[in-house]
Amino acid sequence: MFIAAGEWGYGWYRAHFEGAKGDYIDLGFNTFGWRIAACIFGVLCIPMMYLFARRLWANRLFAIAAATLVCFDGMFFVQSRIGMIDIFPIFFVLLAYYLFLVHIQSRKARGSILSLLALGTVLGIGIASKWIVLAALASIGFFLVMSLLKRAI
């Protein structure tokens, strides 16, 4: 789905700015069109890691260090530049854990419910992209059950 969006977007760009003729998806069906969506999600992993680290600890230096390490990590670099779907579940797992921290740290019931709805949506999209996100769902479910048991005791 995301790679097809990259192909369509690049085809639209070629049709409108380069004057190419044809369907958008046909114009974008090349190596650049395959890789642009993965590149965008790979770049989005950097601010996502910053937000996750900032939410985890209030130290800004720690968050900057975490985002910098993501910039220079070989896995993120390689997965962002090849035309495979592995960077999409990585991004959605980061976003899911961030939303889970928002849920845990929320002080009002409305914020807690909204963060859980967003968490369910993100996990659904992530599982639709690749089933490895089920591991994140299992760990989040485990921590939710443990927090409920802790409140009951």
Side-chain angles (χ1 to χ4, degrees), residues 26-50:
D26 293 336
L27 292 173
F29 192 68
N30 55 29
T31 55
F32 184 80
W34 300 332
R35 292 181 176 136
I36 188 65
C39 180
I40 290 170
F41 273 81
V43 169
L44 287 176
C45 282
I46 298 167
M48 195 70 250
M49 182 59 80
Y50 175 83

Side-chain angles (χ1 to χ4, degrees), residues 75-140:
M75 190 244 344
F76 280 98
F77 180 72
V78 169
Q79 293 299 328
S80 315
R81 68 182 259 291
I82 60 177
M84 294 180 64
I85 63 169
D86 294 332
I87 196 69
F88 304 120
I90 293 169
F91 173 77
F92 288 119
V93 165
L94 280 173
L95 184 57
Y97 282 133
Y98 174 75
L99 289 172
F100 181 62
L101 279 175
V102 169
H103 168 70
I104 287 180
Q105 294 173 352
S106 65
R107 299 178 195 267
K108 297 181 181 177
R110 179 178 167 90
S112 178
I113 290 172
L114 286 176
S115 64
L116 274 181
L117 285 173
L119 175 63
T121 304
V122 165
L123 283 172
I125 294 170
I127 291 168
S129 66
K130 202 162 184 182
W131 282 21
I132 194 67
V133 182
L134 285 171
L137 175 64
S139 66
I140 288 172

Side-chain angles (χ1 to χ4, degrees), residues 3-30 32-34 36 40:
I3 292 176
E7 290 176 3
W8 185 88
Y10 184 58
W12 176 86
Y13 172 80
R14 288 189 60 204
H16 287 279
F17 295 108
E18 294 178 358
K21 302 288 184 205
D23 292 334
Y24 293 158
I25 196 73
D26 293 336
L27 292 173
F29 192 68
N30 55 29
F32 184 80
W34 300 332
I36 188 65
I40 290 170

